[in-house]
Amino acid sequence: MSTLTTSAGAPVPDDNNSISVGPRGPLTFDNHYLFEKLAHFNRERIPERVVHARGTGAYGTFTLTKSLSDRTIASFLQQIGDKTEVFVRFSTVGGGQDSSDFARDPRGFAIKFYTREGNFDLVGNNTPVFFLNDPIKFPDFIHSQKKDPQTNLPNPANAYEFWANHPQSLHQMTILMSDRGIPASYRHMHGFSSHTLSFWNDKGERVWVKWHIKSNQGIKTVTADEAAKLPTHGTQQDLVEAIARGEFPSWTVKVQIMTEAEARTYKINPFDLTKVWPHSDYPLIEIGQLELNRNVDSYFAETEQSAFAPSNLVPGIGASPDKMLQARLLAYQDAHRYRVGVNANQLPVNAARCPVHHYQRDGAMAAGCPVTGHGASANSLHQIPNFYPNDRAGVSPAPAARYAQPALPVLEDAWIGYHDQSDEDYYSQPGALFRLMDAEQKQQLFNNIAAGLSQANASIQERILAQFHRADPAYAAGVKAALEAIAKA
Ligand code: HEM
């Protein structure tokens, strides 16, 4: 049996009794082990994620089944059969760390691919669209969906007040309120990049890409009534236990591809996050299999400190002009500096599996980097200056121009300024989705909406009903009837 030690490694003689002045007397100041224990305990928490606070993570493998070498130089998308280690974190969005896994809420589906040329993070959701297409609305939107700041209670009236003023949310709101709104488990839901990203190849050609991660377990959902009876930790337990018993969940990875030329004239703005690209125009192309096969050893060290960033892109994969995505390129690294620290990427769960060479030095918790064996490694600190350029070619890292992505032309007569997007068509796609639902699914949609909307005032109800009407008159009529049924009850 090993000897218990302080955090500095000194043996501890007694861990049940503090040092005191006689059995009934006060404690003495040489209780430094007690002080260390209490002080460390006080600091066990780091700030929870401002959104997606409640989550579950696991490791796995991405296996390529179709080479994309004609489309991208991304190292992990070249050879059929190539396997890339991944870490995936699933989450709900609005609730705090101890909220229910079964909230009616989108689910985060974040994948970190540890590729040979750095980490590629696909930080997506279980829905192909989002509530917004301008990031300036994100804090307002999240405030309206989280607990009321005064009562600290859920307040559906706030949520609907936001939606009444933002028809761009209608598509995602319709998905959320549908029978797909509460996944029964993380294994039984799809994932999406939602955003348009890009691929670029060695000929300098770029295409626009949407990622779809399709559950091989199928889709399973629960109703609001069923959800209310389920344990709050249900989806965490489901995933951990499935992996522990060797029943590894898997997903088929597909992409939609649009050329730059097509994007210029396509009827839908391909960079509007509130809209999908119909599969009839852009069919899904299968490219690989994602499997989760290893639970974390430490929930805190790995899942809680995992740091996903849409700015983690690798050569051959780029961002797009999607305004939301562009803001996310900044927001996540900023969140990590606050939540985990400036050296978050040195932690094993976040560290690249390939060598890391740069001129960033020091900062809180700089490992330098015995933890990962990467980063500002001991030998580089000895040999390499902490500035660039320098005269020590051969030992010091230098940028490589071949990794520059193709320049993106500005094609329109583009004026810098505020561009109002409020007269976009935010109704056709939710209307089409509504018409795909069978009678029972429609009724669930009406009831789910009415449950919350009935708590909002008449003006909010009217404006939301007008949105539904523009999507499909039967949508508005169904919700209206469900509201009337609640009012009569
Ligand atoms: C302008 C829009 C957005 C902003 C400013 C934003 C901001 C954030 C922030 C600050 C976090 C916490 C990060 C951390 O502490 O590690 C987060 C987490 C997350 N966001 Fe967003 N977000 C936006 C839109 C989206 C969209 C559109 C999606 C999905 C398509 C998304 C998916 C996620 C996921 C999955 C996480 C959790 C990642 C994890 O598991 O650690 N977000 N977001």
Side-chain angles (χ1 to χ4, degrees):
M1 194 173 60
S2 53
T3 302
L4 177 70
T5 69
T6 65
S7 63
V12 171
D14 191 328
D15 195 32
N16 288 318
N17 302 291
S18 303
I19 301 167
S20 60
V21 185
R24 297 189 177 190
L27 303 185
T28 64
F29 217 72
D30 55 358
N31 270 292
H32 53 80
Y33 173 65
L34 165 70
F35 303 154
E36 173 186 307
K37 201 169 163 180
L38 294 182
H40 192 276
F41 176 70
N42 283 354
R43 290 162 179 79
E44 282 182 3
R45 299 283 171 273
I46 59 173
E48 68 175 31
R49 289 164 175 81
V50 65
V51 281
H52 296 261
R54 182 165 177 80
T56 301
Y59 295 92
T61 314
F62 169 73
T63 308
L64 192 71
T65 54
K66 175 182 168 57
S67 171
L68 289 163
S69 57
D70 56 334
R71 296 296 194 185
T72 173
I73 63 165
S75 60
F76 72 116
L77 300 177
Q78 304 300 307
Q79 294 286 335
I80 292 178
D82 198 4
K83 289 186 189 300
T84 304
E85 187 189 357
V86 297
F87 181 71
V88 172
R89 182 174 178 272
F90 301 110
S91 49
T92 52
V93 182
Q97 276 229 6
D98 287 324
S99 56
S100 172
D101 285 351
F102 294 104
R104 181 173 300 280
D105 205 6
R107 299 294 185 270
F109 196 134
I111 312 172
K112 191 181 284 295
F113 296 82
Y114 302 97
T115 88
R116 284 184 289 275
E117 289 186 320
N119 292 348
F120 167 50
D121 291 358
L122 194 64
V123 196
N125 277 343
N126 68 330
T127 54
V129 293
F130 195 70
F131 300 92
L132 306 171
N133 51 8
D134 191 314
I136 204 160
K137 301 308 313 165
F138 189 76
D140 303 290
F141 165 66
I142 295 295
H143 286 168
S144 76
Q145 311 292 306
K146 279 191 171 251
K147 287 181 188 163
D148 185 281
Q150 193 259 320
T151 60
N152 199 34
L153 295 170
N155 187 340
N158 284 348
Y160 280 96
E161 186 172 339
F162 183 91
W163 287 329
N165 288 311
H166 296 87
Q168 62 267 49
S169 300
L170 182 60
H171 194 180
Q172 168 82 320
M173 195 263 258
T174 303
I175 298 173
L176 182 65
M177 293 299 156
S178 76
D179 60 318
R180 293 263 171 124
I182 313 178
S185 90
Y186 292 132
R187 294 183 296 141
H188 295 93
M189 64 182 206
H190 299 327
F192 301 87
S193 62
S194 315
H195 295 284
T196 300
L197 301 175
S198 69
F199 282 155
W200 48 275
N201 65 16
D202 51 5
K203 297 188 198 73
E205 297 158 340
R206 175 192 287 104
V207 288
W208 303 117
V209 182
K210 280 190 188 284
W211 292 68
H212 299 246
I213 322 287
K214 298 284 190 182
S215 171
N216 294 337
Q217 291 69 238
I219 295 285
K220 262 196 207 161
T221 56
V222 291
T223 64
D225 288 345
E226 288 164 343
K229 295 185 201 111
L230 292 167
T232 55
H233 54 262
T235 61
Q236 161 90 27
Q237 186 172 5
D238 174 81
L239 187 74
V240 172
E241 292 183 356
I243 293 174
R245 62 176 181 266
E247 206 180 299
F248 300 143
S250 64
W251 287 260
T252 300
V253 180
K254 302 183 178 189
V255 291
Q256 285 178 294
I257 292 183
M258 183 187 293
T259 65
E260 267 192 56
E262 288 165 342
R264 275 171 224 146
T265 54
Y266 190 50
K267 58 190 178 203
I268 297 163
N269 172 1
F271 310 118
D272 180 343
L273 185 56
T274 66
K275 304 202 170 74
V276 294
W277 302 351
H279 296 183
S280 46
D281 290 346
Y282 292 97
L284 299 181
I285 304 164
E286 184 172 331
I287 64 160
Q289 287 291 317
L290 176 76
E291 177 188 87
L292 294 182
N293 49 33
R294 180 161 67 90
N295 281 319
V296 296
D297 290 329
S298 158
Y299 179 83
F300 179 83
E302 294 158 275
T303 306
E304 189 57 14
Q305 294 193 114
S306 61
F308 293 87
S311 53
N312 281 346
L313 299 163
V314 292
I317 300 182
S320 78
D322 177 334
K323 296 178 170 62
M324 293 284 287
L325 175 59
Q326 299 204 328
R328 295 180 72 205
L329 298 177
L330 171 116
Y332 289 65
Q333 285 185 320
D334 182 50
H336 301 154
R337 287 178 202 116
Y338 163 67
R339 185 173 68 79
V340 189
V342 69
N343 287 309
N345 280 340
Q346 292 186 11
L347 294 173
V349 67
N350 299 322
R353 304 300 191 248
C354 62
V356 173
H357 305 290
H358 55 63
Y359 296 91
Q360 294 166 18
R361 291 288 182 273
D362 309 340
M365 311 299 291
C369 189
V371 175
T372 62
H374 302 308
S377 65
N379 66 354
S380 70
L381 285 176
H382 291 305
Q383 297 174 18
I384 301 175
N386 56 356
F387 56 90
Y388 180 84
N390 57 63
D391 296 343
R392 279 158 273 188
V395 291
S396 60
R402 67 179 181 283
Y403 292 121
Q405 58 175 309
L408 182 64
V410 177
L411 294 168
E412 308 154 35
D413 184 12
W415 292 77
I416 297 175
Y418 300 112
H419 294 279
D420 187 357
Q421 302 180 84
S422 57
D423 62 351
E424 277 266 330
D425 172 10
Y426 296 120
Y427 307 98
S428 301
Q429 292 201 348
L433 175 65
F434 172 77
R435 287 184 287 279
L436 279 178
M437 296 179 193
D438 64 26
E440 197 194 320
Q441 288 170 317
K442 282 181 181 154
Q443 195 54 52
Q444 275 200 45
L445 175 73
F446 303 149
N447 295 347
N448 290 335
I449 292 175
L453 186 55
S454 58
Q455 299 178 49
N457 67 34
S459 154
I460 292 170
Q461 292 186 4
E462 242 171 62
R463 279 175 289 151
I464 287 269
L465 286 169
Q467 289 182 22
F468 299 153
H469 194 271
R470 284 184 72 174
D472 192 305
Y475 188 172
V479 175
K480 197 155 184 260
L483 282 172
E484 283 161 4
I486 291 178
K488 272 192 214 134

